[in-house]
Amino acid sequence: MSESSRVGPRMSAATKARPADRIFRLLSTSAAVSIMVILAGVALFLIVRSLPAILANWQTTPELSTGPTGGFASFFSYVGPLAFGTVWASVIALLMATPVAVGIALFISHYSPRKLAGFLGYIVDLLAAVPSVVFGLWGILVMRPFLLPMQVWLNEYLGWIPLFSGKVTSTGSSILTGAVVLAVMVLPIITSISREIFLQTPKLHEEAALALGSTRWEMIRLTVFPYARSGVVSAILLGLGRALGETMAVAMIISPAILVSFKLTTEGENSQTIASNIALNFPIASGLQRDALIGTGLVLFVISLAVNMLARLILNAKPGGRKLWVRPRTEPRAKAIAIAAAEAGAETAIDTSQRSPAGRS
Amino acid sequence: MKVLRFGRVAAVIAAGALALTACGGSNTGASAPGAGSNSGGSSRTESLSGTITAGGSSAQANAQAAWTAGFKAQAPGVTVNYDKSQGSGGGVTNFLAGTYDFAGSDAYLKPDQAAKAQEKCGPGGAVNLPVYTDGVAIIFNLKGVDKLQLSSDTLAKIFAQKIKSWDDAAIKADNPGVTLPSTAITTVTRSDGSGTTQNFSNYLHQVAPGVWTSPVSNKWPIAGSSAQQGGSGVVNTVKAGDGTIGYADHSSIGDVKAASIKAGSTYVAFSQDAVTKAIAAAVTPAKTTVAGDLSQDIDYTKLTSGDAYPIPLISYDILCTKFKDAKQAKLVTAYIGYIISDQGQKIAAKNAGSAPIPADLATKISATLKTIS
């Protein structure tokens, strides 16, 4: 940590090791190791338990050809539509949530008065604390009847678009309703991460843009967006991670079928998601059927892992992005700006560069 | 600023805690082997104490709640924990794993499960006791129609999605004099596996084999319906839609309208009495190797008399013939004895809307209970 010479306390701790330091180091190291062990344990459990079902012949094994797993040629023809449904529902949700979330984040970081910003941030975080079963009930009792007329309209007038074709729902129990509720659920994640990133746009850039005569929108377009692009993308991917694993709300709202379907407004042709399929069928499943469900869980595990790794990769790869999930380090560019600003005597710029990644103004 | 940040941390922790609680829904307590201290060898229930751990069928849930409360009044020292979140399959799995004193299940043990039960309970195996009987109600919501009559053939055609609108000739023929709108039919089924689905698909399979060609299954076999979670999900959705029709355990339908189903030459509406009569008329003992086992097969085709409801449903409590702990055996048999008593069946009928079991079945169950130790 040669770069951290500016930071006092951390440096002095490294010079002289005391027992308390060693103990704390041990504790924190074992905590870090335990997370690896847990993750490996979960992966191992998923693989070991699901192997019998993945390798079995689904047509000749009586247990797999009946009940919740009945009617599928193999594990892959069972899990395929489920994996599709999981991704499909999440993607629709994200398409709806992203513009709204970025809008809220921008409002909080650049438009709203300071006091209101704090309050709004609070409200958004509170949204993340609502249990998903409550969202499920809200979806059934409020959103289904509320969205029903719109879906009937879409089906009647835009039914020539394949997305809105098919036999329209009569109760609102469609994937569209589910995706709207999912969108509300992922909103807080995308909003709070985007907000953090928007706030970290170097003040100097913003002020430079304004000084050149930009309007506020142009300033945001020219300085905030380019700086925050990779961060927002990874925020979206983290939101996707949440949406992929969502169980209760989806299970309660959407009327599922295990098939591949892009239709949004039907009741009988909604692709089922992996998580809610497990929740719905685990209680009645026995033996190999349970193993098959665990196998679908393994697939979900892999998908989530891939999405999270992608998010991280994007966040770390692009130079403009702040490394939210890595140990804070002064970035060369921020440092250069800080030095230049210090030479120019601009106090505000130093503030900007010293702000910790999790910090806010 | 500091305060705000602390608030955020608190919010995150709160969110995490809530997420954890939300995920930990089906938290089954470990089995509590009999802490029974039966004083003085008296077999009267007041002197019993201990905990019974059980779970399974959600169809039995309301009745179990009523029985638990009623039994508590008789035996204040006994606590009964019935976990309905498991469903029939989960109940049997936990029973076979040894965590439950008895399992509630809408189906009796299959041969392979019975074999596993022998490993757990000893060579005597486990008995299936039909303690709960009810009917599958066909509920509907159709603007302008208050009373609906359906023959089994029409019913099968509707649920097989061969009839698509309410003014179909077959439905008209069942309902002379009723003006039926041309609304599209939406069939509402269960998205989760369920004993109710098993019973209902078995009924359709038996009475309308020409129309219903799908397998008998605890998972609804036909795509294209509105699939909902749980009996309450089906009831809610039928209620909310127009032109909807679904099936649910009668005890859970609330104020939603139910159709009368044709048995023989008359249309029979659901009543507790009609279900009890149906059970008495249609059950035949299933093949079993366990002495005292009371597994029943329902022959729906026998239900042609005009006073028996054609779609009855049986749910079992499954327990070992020999408990590891004699005191626990005493506790459980006392509790099941209470369930099948006149009082127990009346309480369930009043609170859960189930139908009392026929008297001769109750006699057989209490004979089996005497053999359990």
Side-chain angles (χ1 to χ4, degrees):
Chain A
M1 291 300 293
S2 61
E3 286 168 341
S4 61
S5 53
R6 272 193 300 120
V7 192
R10 208 193 296 166
M11 210 50 216
S12 68
T15 46
K16 209 188 230 177
R18 291 166 198 274
D21 284 319
R22 246 176 276 137
I23 291 170
F24 186 76
R25 191 190 162 82
L26 194 77
L27 280 177
S28 75
T29 311
S30 56
V33 169
S34 72
I35 193 71
M36 297 300 293
V37 172
I38 291 169
L39 200 66
V42 169
L44 198 70
F45 155 79
L46 287 171
I47 293 169
V48 169
R49 280 298 303 270
S50 60
L51 266 184
I54 295 174
L55 299 177
N57 183 332
W58 280 44
Q59 275 143 328
T60 54
T61 313
E63 203 172 7
L64 287 169
S65 57
T66 57
T69 53
F72 295 92
S74 73
F75 175 74
F76 297 98
S77 65
Y78 178 62
V79 79
L82 287 171
F84 166 80
T86 308
V87 175
W88 178 232
S90 307
V91 165
I92 310 168
L94 281 180
L95 283 179
M96 291 187 276
T98 305
V100 181
V102 169
I104 298 173
L106 260 188
F107 179 77
I108 293 175
S109 65
H110 283 84
Y111 283 94
S112 78
R114 209 157 232 252
K115 274 187 182 155
L116 184 63
F119 176 71
L120 261 179
Y122 222 72
I123 295 287
V124 171
D125 287 342
L126 209 63
L127 203 58
V130 177
S132 66
V133 67
V134 172
F135 275 115
L137 286 172
W138 176 66
I140 289 182
L141 300 174
V142 179
M143 290 314 277
R144 269 194 197 172
F146 179 72
L147 292 175
L148 181 58
M150 183 192 86
Q151 300 187 45
V152 172
W153 186 89
L154 282 174
N155 180 266
E156 196 169 337
Y157 295 102
L158 298 175
W160 49 272
I161 303 173
L163 284 180
F164 305 120
S165 63
K167 186 191 167 192
V168 71
T169 172
S170 61
T171 61
S173 181
S174 66
I175 201 164
L176 191 65
T177 312
V180 168
V181 176
L182 258 185
V184 176
M185 296 177 78
V186 300
L187 209 56
I189 294 178
I190 307 181
T191 306
S192 49
I193 298 177
S194 306
R195 180 189 55 193
E196 296 297 331
I197 289 160
F198 291 155
L199 281 172
Q200 282 163 26
T201 315
K203 271 275 169 316
L204 205 63
H205 294 191
E206 293 180 4
E207 280 165 9
L210 288 173
L212 288 171
S214 310
T215 62
R216 185 167 280 210
W217 162 239
E218 282 165 339
M219 177 270 282
I220 288 170
R221 220 173 33 152
L222 289 171
T223 65
V224 180
F225 280 166
Y227 183 81
R229 193 185 299 135
S230 65
V232 171
V233 168
S234 68
I236 294 168
L237 287 178
L238 286 169
L240 179 62
R242 161 95 207 246
L244 288 174
E246 179 44 44
T247 312
M248 272 322 280
V250 174
M252 289 168 80
I253 296 166
I254 302 177
S255 152
I258 301 178
L259 44 78
V260 175
S261 156
F262 288 95
K263 292 171 187 164
L264 296 178
T265 58
T266 69
E267 208 151 3
E269 294 172 86
N270 298 316
S271 290
Q272 172 70 304
T273 70
I274 290 177
S276 81
N277 184 57
I278 294 176
L280 289 173
N281 291 312
F282 203 74
I284 53 148
S286 59
L288 271 177
Q289 296 171 354
R290 287 203 162 185
D291 294 347
L293 289 175
I294 292 170
T296 65
L298 177 66
V299 173
L300 180 60
F301 184 80
V302 171
I303 296 176
S304 308
L305 206 67
V307 166
N308 275 298
M309 281 166 69
L310 192 68
R312 211 176 250 251
L313 214 66
I314 293 175
L315 201 61
N316 291 345
K318 294 237 179 112
R322 296 292 298 221
K323 300 179 182 177
L324 257 192
W325 314 101
V326 239
R327 200 151 28 155
R329 231 173 249 164
T330 324
E331 281 174 37
R333 195 172 77 165
K335 203 176 171 188
I337 293 172
I339 293 166
E343 279 168 359
E347 289 280 289
T348 49
I350 296 178
D351 276 357
T352 314
S353 72
Q354 281 182 339
R355 220 184 268 150
S356 81
R360 57 175 66 249
S361 61
Chain B
M1 172 82 179
K2 278 255 164 66
V3 176
L4 191 69
R5 194 180 289 185
F6 173 73
R8 238 176 82 78
V9 171
V12 167
I13 292 171
L18 282 166
L20 282 177
T21 2
C23 295
S26 56
N27 186 357
T28 320
S31 84
S37 57
N38 201 345
S39 57
S42 159
S43 64
R44 292 170 63 200
T45 50
E46 296 100 82
S47 57
L48 291 171
S49 75
T51 303
I52 298 174
T53 308
S57 160
S58 56
Q60 283 182 35
N62 290 336
Q64 287 284 357
W67 289 328
T68 304
F71 190 63
K72 188 95 188 162
Q74 289 199 354
V78 182
T79 308
V80 183
N81 297 321
Y82 184 86
D83 181 1
K84 65 169 178 175
S85 70
Q86 295 296 310
S88 297
V92 170
T93 307
N94 287 349
F95 170 71
L96 293 177
T99 41
Y100 281 169
D101 293 321
F102 71 85
S105 171
D106 296 343
Y108 54 81
L109 294 179
K110 287 178 253 171
D112 59 318
Q113 292 170 330
K116 269 187 205 150
Q118 279 185 326
E119 289 168 22
K120 208 78 218 172
C121 305
V127 283
N128 305 281
L129 305 177
V131 298
Y132 176 90
T133 53
D134 198 3
V136 178
I138 304 302
I139 49 177
F140 67 97
N141 192 9
L142 183 60
K143 256 184 216 138
V145 179
D146 287 329
K147 264 192 81 184
L148 188 68
Q149 302 182 345
L150 295 170
S151 66
S152 49
D153 241 33
T154 315
L155 192 59
K157 278 181 193 154
I158 290 175
F159 277 94
Q161 290 168 23
K162 284 173 185 155
I163 295 180
K164 297 195 185 295
S165 77
W166 281 103
D167 57 357
D168 190 275
I171 305 179
K172 274 185 181 159
D174 283 339
N175 296 275
V178 179
T179 327
L180 291 158
S182 62
T183 318
I185 297 177
T186 302
T187 54
V188 185
T189 62
R190 291 281 289 267
S191 60
D192 49 341
S194 147
T196 316
T197 306
Q198 172 98 22
N199 272 286
F200 185 53
S201 59
N202 188 19
Y203 162 79
L204 294 175
H205 172 76
Q206 284 190 22
V207 297
V211 183
W212 183 264
T213 49
S214 305
V216 176
S217 169
N218 53 10
K219 172 96 180 145
W220 189 253
I222 295 181
S225 65
S226 172
Q228 303 296 329
Q229 185 193 18
S232 54
V234 170
V235 174
N236 272 332
T237 306
V238 168
K239 209 172 171 178
D242 183 27
T244 46
I245 183 166
Y247 61 89
D249 184 292
H250 183 266
S251 64
S252 65
I253 68 168
D255 57 354
V256 182
K257 286 163 286 195
S260 302
I261 309 300
K262 195 173 192 177
S265 55
T266 44
Y267 294 92
V268 185
F270 177 92
S271 72
Q272 293 169 334
D273 188 41
V275 168
T276 308
K277 283 196 174 116
I279 296 287
V283 296
T284 46
K287 251 188 248 163
T288 174
T289 55
V290 178
D293 184 25
L294 293 168
S295 308
Q296 306 290 329
D297 284 327
I298 303 180
D299 185 352
Y300 296 99
T301 54
K302 279 188 185 166
L303 295 171
T304 49
S305 69
D307 57 354
Y309 184 70
I311 326 175
L313 174 154
I314 296 182
S315 192
Y316 299 85
D317 280 352
I318 301 169
L319 55 155
C320 284
T321 48
K322 182 144 186 64
F323 279 65
K324 288 197 177 66
D325 179 346
K327 279 176 190 159
Q328 197 65 13
K330 215 166 240 169
L331 272 187
V332 176
T333 49
Y335 178 63
I336 308 271
Y338 170 78
I339 289 178
I340 58 158
S341 70
D342 239 25
Q343 192 190 353
Q345 290 292 317
K346 270 189 191 134
I347 281 185
K350 185 163 167 271
N351 292 329
S354 66
I357 52 176
D360 68 315
L361 212 51
T363 318
K364 281 183 199 159
I365 296 174
S366 67
T368 300
L369 284 180
K370 285 201 183 90
T371 66
I372 290 170
S373 58

